[in-house]
Amino acid sequence: MESAALLSPMDIHTIRRYVQTKYAPLPDGRRAEIVADAIRRALAQRMPNVPDELKLRMIDQLITRYLVGEKRDIHPEDVLDLIAEIGQGDERLTERLLEPLLEWANERTQRRWSPEQLASRLERHRGPSPLLAAAEPLAGVQLPEELVSGRNGWRGATWAAVRSLAKPAPAIVLASVVALGSATAWIALSGERSASIEESTSAAPPAPAASPAFAPDVGMPKALRYAEIDKQALIAYLNGRDSLLAEAPYFEAIMDTAREYDLHPHLLFAITGQEQGFVPKSAKQAAKIANNPFNVGHSWMEFNTDIANSAGIAARLLVKLGESRPEGYDPFEWFNRTYAEDPLWSVGVRKIFDKLSGLGEESGAIR
């Protein structure tokens, strides 16, 4: 009996429908990027705690082989098979992965594994690694015309990216070219079915390990703790969004809260961007929304307080969640589990945080 699926075509359909509804004003290509990114992140959350580069390459293979090629769910057993293939001729790699893989397998599969049983299972299922193969993995699969031609065509950039998997590929290539090819290929092929997305219960990709010993990555990351920022660049960006938060008392209240709770200011502002689009002045009841742009207490409508109080509540929650983050969990996705019901909340907050963190560099300012 196979274990519960890590990712299924129905999950893909649910993600697709959600993005089409929430991001309806965006161009088709931008929505496809969001869907592809969400698919990869959903699968990454349910993968074993292995090095990032390996995990990214495995995710591409799992999507290509099973979701697209065989049009079926991805199961934990498929991950074990892939690990076995990757370990062909490299026993040291298998040995290094055994401990995190054992913990993951005991959580995700139908049986209880001992180290000896898992090692034996990996040995029995070894075969030629698809990560080292040059053959096209989807030979014979009929793809929609829009995926064969056009700017996101499968036979162009995507085939080149798939063939290059034997080489260390930059994360941006895997996240855009391969994801847009393999993930959107299945999206176009999937039928009109609905299902809920299983909540994440395992680790998302950790920060790159400092050594093969996998240095611990726990608690609030340094990158999300308080740091001095280019305030003028941030204010200019907020003004460009017609944001009420660029003005007093909102801007300084959020900055003071970030300093008090040792949180990066961009993290708090990113949440206001995700929750309320930075509160445009043109929004109906903008003054009330700006009192609680973090939507603490469920929403600004149900809990209308003042900016200092709402920022403090949001900050205390983030600090608590950050301090409790287990090893291997992506911080944004760890916050997402408690802060928001929207499974794509972490995707939006991370992108806004990255955008804000690059403002000083874009303007040429020294931060």
Side-chain angles (χ1 to χ4, degrees):
M1 178 180 179
E2 284 190 317
S3 308
L6 300 177
L7 195 67
S8 71
M10 289 189 292
D11 290 336
I12 304 300
H13 176 72
T14 301
I15 292 172
R16 177 192 181 196
R17 289 286 296 273
Y18 179 87
V19 170
Q20 286 178 335
T21 300
K22 181 166 184 176
Y23 300 97
L26 295 180
D28 290 345
R30 183 70 186 96
R31 288 203 305 269
E33 291 176 4
I34 294 173
V35 170
D37 188 56
I39 291 168
R40 291 171 58 80
R41 290 184 184 281
L43 184 54
Q45 288 176 339
R46 299 155 194 178
M47 292 284 285
N49 187 16
V50 300
D52 279 356
E53 181 183 319
L54 176 60
K55 183 178 292 187
L56 288 171
R57 295 163 72 188
M58 290 176 63
I59 287 170
D60 291 323
Q61 278 293 324
L62 291 167
I63 290 173
T64 298
R65 182 185 291 188
Y66 301 114
L67 280 179
V68 181
E70 298 184 13
K71 304 182 183 63
R72 68 167 176 83
D73 299 354
I74 298 173
H75 290 275
E77 291 78 8
D78 299 323
V79 175
L80 295 180
D81 290 344
L82 193 54
I83 288 284
E85 294 173 1
I86 293 168
Q88 177 72 22
D90 190 351
E91 294 182 1
R92 289 179 299 175
L93 174 63
T94 305
E95 290 172 1
R96 291 198 300 269
L97 298 180
L98 189 60
E99 183 176 347
L101 191 60
L102 179 65
E103 180 181 358
W104 176 85
N106 281 327
E107 291 178 354
R108 287 289 183 176
T109 63
Q110 297 287 335
R111 59 176 293 180
R112 184 73 184 174
W113 298 86
S114 69
E116 294 75 18
Q117 289 170 331
L118 183 58
S120 176
R121 201 272 188 196
L122 296 177
E123 179 66 30
R124 290 198 310 271
H125 287 76
R126 282 183 177 175
S129 173
L131 298 183
L132 302 178
E136 296 178 347
L138 295 181
V141 175
Q142 296 299 313
L143 300 175
E145 180 60 30
E146 61 268 25
L147 295 176
V148 175
S149 59
R151 70 182 185 91
N152 290 329
W154 182 271
R155 291 180 183 172
T158 304
W159 278 133
V162 171
R163 289 195 185 99
S164 71
L165 287 175
K167 304 175 182 178
I172 187 65
V173 174
L174 296 178
S176 58
V177 179
V178 177
L180 281 172
S182 58
T184 53
W186 173 254
I187 293 165
L189 291 167
S190 61
E192 293 297 316
R193 293 175 291 180
S194 62
S196 62
I197 302 175
E198 172 189 321
E199 293 184 359
S200 63
T201 56
S202 68
S211 70
F214 306 115
D217 173 29
V218 299
M220 182 67 78
K222 183 178 179 180
L224 297 183
R225 292 185 173 178
Y226 184 79
E228 293 297 330
I229 65 170
D230 185 340
K231 292 184 180 179
Q232 294 308 311
L234 177 56
I235 290 173
Y237 177 80
L238 293 173
N239 282 328
R241 300 292 299 269
D242 191 34
S243 171
L244 191 55
L245 302 182
E247 301 179 357
Y250 310 105
F251 186 84
E252 288 303 329
I254 295 175
M255 290 295 302
D256 290 344
T257 300
R259 188 179 301 107
E260 179 182 356
Y261 289 96
D262 191 22
L263 290 173
H264 202 295
H266 291 156
L267 175 59
L268 292 179
F269 278 100
I271 291 174
T272 70
Q274 175 67 16
E275 293 287 337
Q276 289 297 337
F278 298 110
V279 193
K281 297 174 188 176
S282 58
K284 189 176 181 181
Q285 303 189 69
K288 287 188 176 181
I289 298 172
N291 288 333
N292 183 9
F294 304 93
N295 280 335
V296 296
H298 195 261
S299 76
W300 64 270
M301 291 180 286
E302 296 181 30
F303 183 66
N304 203 261
T305 175
D306 60 66
I307 184 60
N309 189 32
S310 66
I313 293 171
R316 286 191 291 274
L317 175 59
L318 292 170
V319 169
K320 181 179 179 181
L321 293 173
E323 291 175 345
S324 67
R325 183 175 68 99
E327 181 175 359
Y329 275 82
D330 175 272
F332 292 94
E333 290 164 358
W334 180 250
F335 298 152
N336 196 159
R337 293 161 64 96
T338 301
Y339 200 106
E341 296 177 358
D342 178 357
L344 298 178
W345 182 89
S346 60
V347 177
V349 174
R350 183 200 306 276
K351 289 183 177 180
I352 297 171
F353 178 85
D354 291 343
K355 173 66 177 178
L356 298 182
S357 296
L359 291 178
E361 299 172 2
E362 291 177 2
S363 65
I366 298 175
R367 300 174 58 205

